Amino acid sequence: MLRIWTLCWLTLVWILLWGTVSVANIVSGLVVALVITVLLPLPPVPVEGRLRPLSFVVLVAYVTWSLVVSSTQVAWLAIKPGRIPPTAVLRARLDIKSDLVLALAVNVINLIPGSIVLEIDQTRRLIYVHVIDVGSQRAVDRFYRQTATVERLMVAAFERDSDWQGARA
């Protein structure tokens, strides 16, 4: 079923790229989709745990709030008079077991303005993040608190220990 969905999705993308729906575009889109899925298959991603709806809602609310607050802070840094705030690359450890949840957490951290993940050390579960405005210990501590909160909410929403069967448990 997933392969059929992938073929349909890739064919739709092909048709949208060409801009017209025609028999030739549909057939060529299917051919391209088949070539992509057969010659360039994606590795399987193990998915464990369960989605916890209430925890997920809390995660979405936190990310939404963080987007508003961080966007305001970054906007203020951009327009306030004075020197440019110092930046740094900070390292944070994430105790997330699943590679999929780790990728989701990195995306959440990237979505929050003022930080961008530069590197992920998958085996040691470390992320290296470029952070704007690290001019005080309070600002650095805020980054680490924010990262710890994202990690805690991701674990609560997707991978509680009782659900985990993976090798990293």
Side-chain angles (χ1 to χ4, degrees):
M1 186 65 176
L2 182 60
R3 236 180 232 268
I4 292 171
W5 166 250
T6 304
L7 290 174
C8 291
W9 175 252
L10 289 173
T11 303
L12 177 65
V13 169
W14 182 262
I15 293 168
L16 291 174
L17 286 172
W18 282 101
T20 58
V21 178
S22 68
V23 174
N25 281 344
I26 293 171
V27 171
S28 62
L30 277 171
V31 169
V32 169
L34 281 168
V35 167
I36 288 172
T37 56
V38 171
L39 296 180
L40 306 169
L42 291 173
V45 177
V47 178
E48 293 196 39
R50 303 186 332 192
L51 174 66
R52 309 283 180 163
L54 186 57
S55 297
F56 182 72
V57 168
V58 172
L59 172 66
V60 169
Y62 174 77
V63 170
T64 303
W65 174 252
S66 294
L67 286 171
V68 171
V69 170
S70 295
S71 295
T72 305
Q73 291 170 341
V74 170
W76 173 245
L77 288 173
I79 62 170
K80 83 175 188 177
R83 64 180 184 83
I84 298 172
T87 63
V89 175
L90 302 176
R91 179 179 63 201
R93 177 166 171 66
L94 296 178
D95 289 323
I96 294 175
K97 297 172 184 80
S98 166
D99 289 342
L100 179 61
V101 178
L102 177 64
L104 291 172
V106 165
N107 282 315
V108 167
I109 293 167
N110 281 337
L111 277 175
I112 298 172
S115 63
I116 185 87
V117 176
L118 300 173
E119 184 177 345
I120 304 167
D121 183 342
Q122 200 172 358
T123 56
R124 295 187 300 167
R125 295 304 203 226
L126 295 173
I127 58 172
Y128 296 88
V129 185
H130 183 265
V131 182
I132 296 175
D133 190 20
V134 291
S136 68
Q137 187 60 42
R138 189 173 137 234
V140 173
D141 291 341
R142 181 176 55 235
F143 162 75
Y144 285 115
R145 271 194 319 274
Q146 185 177 34
T147 303
T149 302
V150 168
E151 173 190 16
R152 181 179 49 80
L153 293 174
M154 294 298 280
V155 168
F158 298 110
E159 63 171 26
R160 295 197 180 150
D161 285 336
S162 60
D163 296 337
W164 184 255
Q165 304 295 322
R168 295 188 194 272

